[in-house]
């Protein structure tokens, strides 16, 4: 500030001198030459500094201010300070924006910002993936040119819909169900939230199907049981005791079927909710296989040739109860789906580098290739009637799959219609102990 005052003082003195020079102009020639020169120098300097200032203002942000002495030095210094403050504020804003973008990228849902003309200003990776778009190509394009489904256009046009999400199936991402929600915000912009609800919808459908299946599975034996009990009750006076006994026998079989179904459902439910089987519990496989072999022989009642082959490791780490249930299910299926006189082989052997494999091979009816991927779904049966006649609940392989998953084991199914099947449970090395 002092320099500015000094410069003003100099200017003032020069002006005074110029005035005085006017008085003396008549005789003093030297003063006549010196004073206009000083005034011209002063104004040329101001002009030069203004030009430097204008040039600096046109340079890229961050260019240092020109250096100068005196009042201009003060001016440039003040400008430099302001530029530094502005740059720090800019840097902070940039960092905040970067943080906001990272946070928006981390959101589990798609986020898109549309401007007042519905052109895409910004979108995160999830929005790109859900809507089949590419930010590098599609930013700046109108969303209505990219997603042309009429229900989407109508949704955007109708502000009353906002707040209620739109279910959308778009050609840009076939096979996926999307939920879209639009929220208007500052200056005509719109925030689009996009969520992929395919999995949720599948789960809801599965839940609905499951309830329908359970009701259906229970209804059939219950209807049969009630029918026979009513008949027996109505005709208790004049029906022969052996007929009544037969009715009760059928009712008891149906009740057993219902009990089996409920047992399987409870097993499935505990497999889904219980904590995973401990790694430390060793299960002695020879004893387990011998028990299962005995059960299978009882179920077969001498109708099949059953062989047990144990060349595998001695111990398996996991839950004895769960492993028994899975192995018994596989072995029981072999009996139920192999006609009289067929062969059944239960085998336990080493697999790969330290793993082990339990497999059940049969020479039974086999399964067509198209059914294989769905066999472990609850209540999925290749032949519903045959499964029921054989006392199946349609839950056996679902239980096997769960048990194996909980032991980090894989279920392999090989089968050929008319020739037989082989179901194998392959255990990883960390579950095996010799
Ligand atoms: P189920 O109680 O009906 O046997 P599972 O879940 O155990 O239910 O099996 C599902 C379906 O897989 C069965 O209905 C049957 O069609 C088929 N299946 C299972 N094991 C065999 C096998 N060893 N041979 C032929 N088909 C089989």
């Amino acid at each position: 500030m002092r320099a500015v005052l000094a410069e003003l003082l100099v200017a003032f003195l020069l002006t005074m001198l110029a005035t005085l020079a006017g008085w003396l102009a008549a005789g003093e020639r030297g003063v006549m030459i010196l004073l206009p020169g000083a005034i011209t120098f002063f104004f040329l300097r101001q002009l030069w500094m203004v030009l430097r200032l204008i040039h600096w203002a046109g340079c890229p942000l961050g260019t240092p201010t020109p250096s100068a002495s005196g009042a201009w030095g003060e001016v440039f210094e003040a400008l430099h300070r302001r530029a530094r403050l502005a740059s720090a504020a800019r840097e902070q804003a940039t960092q905040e924006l970067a943080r906001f973008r990272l946070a928006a990228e981390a959101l589990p849902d798609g986020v898109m910002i549309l401007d007042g003309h519905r052109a895409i200003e910004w979108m995160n990776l999830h929005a790109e993936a859900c809507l089949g778009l590419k930010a590098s190509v599609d930013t700046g394009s109108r969303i209505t040119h990219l997603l042309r489904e009429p229900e989407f256009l109508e949704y955007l046009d109708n502000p009353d819909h906002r707040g209620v999400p739109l279910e959308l199936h778009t050609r840009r991402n076939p096979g996926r169900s999307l939920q879209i929600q639009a929220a208007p915000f500052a200056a005509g912009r719109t925030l689009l939230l996009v969520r992929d609800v395919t999995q949720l919808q599948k789960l809801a459908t599965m839940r609905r199907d499951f309830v329908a299946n359970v009701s259906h599975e229970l209804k059939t034996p219950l209807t049969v049981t009630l029918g026979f009990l009513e008949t027996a009750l109505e005709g208790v006076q004049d029906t022969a005791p052996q007929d009544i006994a037969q009715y009760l026998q059928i009712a008891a079989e149906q009740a057993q079927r219902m009990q089996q179904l409920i047992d399987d459902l409870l097993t499935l439910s505990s497999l889904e909710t219980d904590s995973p089987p401990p790694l430390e519990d060793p299960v002695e496989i020879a004893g387990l296989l011998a028990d299962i072999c005995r059960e299978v022989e009882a179920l077969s009642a001498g109708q099949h040739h059953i062989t047990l082959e144990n060349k595998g490791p001695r111990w398996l780490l996991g839950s004895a109860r769960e492993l028994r249930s899975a192995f018994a299910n596989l072995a029981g299926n072999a009996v139920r789906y192999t006609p009289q006189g067929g062969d059944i082989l239960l085998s336990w052997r080493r697999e790969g580098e330290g793993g082990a494999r339990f497999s059940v091979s049969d020479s039974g009816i086999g399964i067509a290739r198209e059914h294989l991927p769905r066999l472990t779904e609850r209540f999925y049966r290749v032949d519903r009637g045959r499964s029921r006649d054989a006392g199946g609940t349609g839950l056996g392989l679902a239980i096997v799959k769960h048990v194996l998953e909980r032991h980090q084991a894989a279920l392999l199914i090989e089968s050929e219609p008319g020739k037989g099947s082989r179901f194998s449970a392959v255990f990883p090395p960390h579950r095996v102990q010799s």
Side-chain angles (χ1 to χ4, degrees), residues 143-188:
I143 188 73
T144 43
H145 292 174
L146 299 168
L147 298 180
R148 295 176 161 276
E149 280 73 18
E151 62 271 35
F152 176 68
L153 303 181
E154 196 206 327
Y155 178 75
L156 277 189
D157 281 341
N158 192 344
D160 292 345
H161 286 171
R162 309 240 168 118
V164 180
L166 166 78
E167 296 277 332
L168 183 70
H169 295 97
T170 167
R171 268 162 290 165
R172 287 191 157 265
N173 194 359
R176 311 301 294 177
S177 303
L178 304 177
Q179 203 175 59
I180 296 198
Q181 191 152 9
F185 72 109

Side-chain angles (χ1 to χ4, degrees), residues 318-333:
S319 154
R321 187 174 49 83
E322 290 181 18
L323 291 170
R324 173 185 294 269
S325 150
F327 290 5
N329 257 307
L330 294 178
N333 278 351

